[in-house]
Amino acid sequence: MTEPTDVDNNVVAASRRRFLRDGGALMGGAVLAGGLAGSEALAAADAASASNVPPNVPEWMKAPGDPVGSQLYGTPSPFEKDVVRNVPKSAAQYLSAASRTPLQDLDGIITPNGLFYERHHGGIPAIDPAQHRLMLHGLVDKPLIFTMDDIRRFPSESRIHFLECSGNPGYKKPYGKTASDLVGLLSCAEWTGVSLKLVLREAGLQQAAKWVVAEGADAAALTRSIPIEKCLEDAMLVYSQNGERLRPQQGYPLRLLLPGFEGNMNVKWLRRLHVAAEPAYSREETSKYTDLMPDGSAREFTFYMEAKSIITRPSGGQRLSGPGFHEISGIAWSGHGKIKRVDVSVDAGKSWQEAQLQEPVLTRALTRFRLPWQWDGRSAVIQSRATDETDYVQPTLAELLAVRGDNYFYHNNAIWPWRIAADGEVTNASA
């Protein structure tokens, strides 16, 4: 093969410019050039990469790529290296801390395992599944101790559900730049395991059984009380997530899944189920995960996550390339069942349009919504409002404060608006 001459390079460059110019109508010049037009579009394309844009053959086609098996566990493209969990600097030094899912960088409704949000109260234990046991005792006819092999002998099932921390976000005035900063303690996965109902029936529930107290095998021994009705409805003992075994951060080798309930109740590293007549009133049910109401009473056992939504594109930290067509997209969810509809406002809540719900629309799972929008280039405030199948409507922050007062911390499901400036920059309109 002979090396190309300067004349050859000039011919190729001219051909490339003709291709971009003549194919603009077919391929969408605004898309190719990031919203620029005419000579600016050609200049931007030329500057991007003289050798890899059509009609040239790009460098990555000129030699074989990595062989199969070069990575024993697959990893994302290095060009996606910035799509990572959001870990606040202040949290990195603590065992009781959290990391957030980069919601603004994801599509669909499933969160990859490597980006699933984390919340730990005593660090992440390293558990040998061969030595791990689940003890089931209390108000049962036959106390039992299960190995992981015993659990996996039960009939398995797989379901898609979200998990959300009840402190997502925790402050009545949300300070955060991105969707991850605001509500990144939220993720959704396909979970595989066994029905808790089957396991409880194996032991035989006694008539006085009203609660099941679940305890984790972490250093904090996190303990939560679950109403027996939930245990017999859709609760699961989970050992796999998105087709692979749970990761240590998500409770390996066994965790409790309570679809629609606040995240901390889905006890990780599950080691004990105590069937009882009363709740345990553990630390996570008294000093934590309760709210002081305006009348001085404590709002406790607030199990269900209410209907909620957020626009993830465009959202804080992003920038629109210019006026014209843009798709508004986001996610909605409810602990009480399916999302019934999502409305979107592009004028700070003065008017609303119904968005399209993307299939599948599943119970207690994330639902993606979409709305086509022609942006006129002027400053705008966009926001979304979810309604679930119980006809509960996502409230504004002012409506929540009117009911709960200034001291509440958990279950903040208010509407979060984004401001789009004339230059396309998107920022948090609530901060």
Side-chain angles (χ1 to χ4, degrees), residues 45-115:
D46 284 342
S49 175
S51 61
N52 291 325
V53 299
N56 290 337
V57 176
E59 290 298 321
W60 44 85
M61 290 183 65
K62 297 177 181 178
D66 292 338
V68 173
S70 59
Q71 295 180 349
L72 295 182
Y73 192 93
T75 58
S77 164
F79 295 98
E80 301 298 325
K81 62 182 176 59
D82 294 329
V83 182
V84 293
R85 279 193 296 257
N86 175 1
V87 182
K89 292 181 180 179
S90 60
Q93 60 184 312
Y94 298 111
L95 292 176
S96 180
S99 66
R100 298 167 180 269
T101 295
L103 298 171
Q104 66 279 358
D105 297 317
L106 302 183
D107 298 307
I109 63 172
I110 298 296
T111 308
N113 288 345
L115 298 177

Side-chain angles (χ1 to χ4, degrees), residues 346-362:
V346 297
D347 56 9
K350 297 175 184 176
S351 63
W352 296 86
Q353 306 173 60
E354 184 173 359
Q356 178 185 2
L357 302 184
Q358 176 179 299
E359 295 292 341
V361 178
L362 304 172

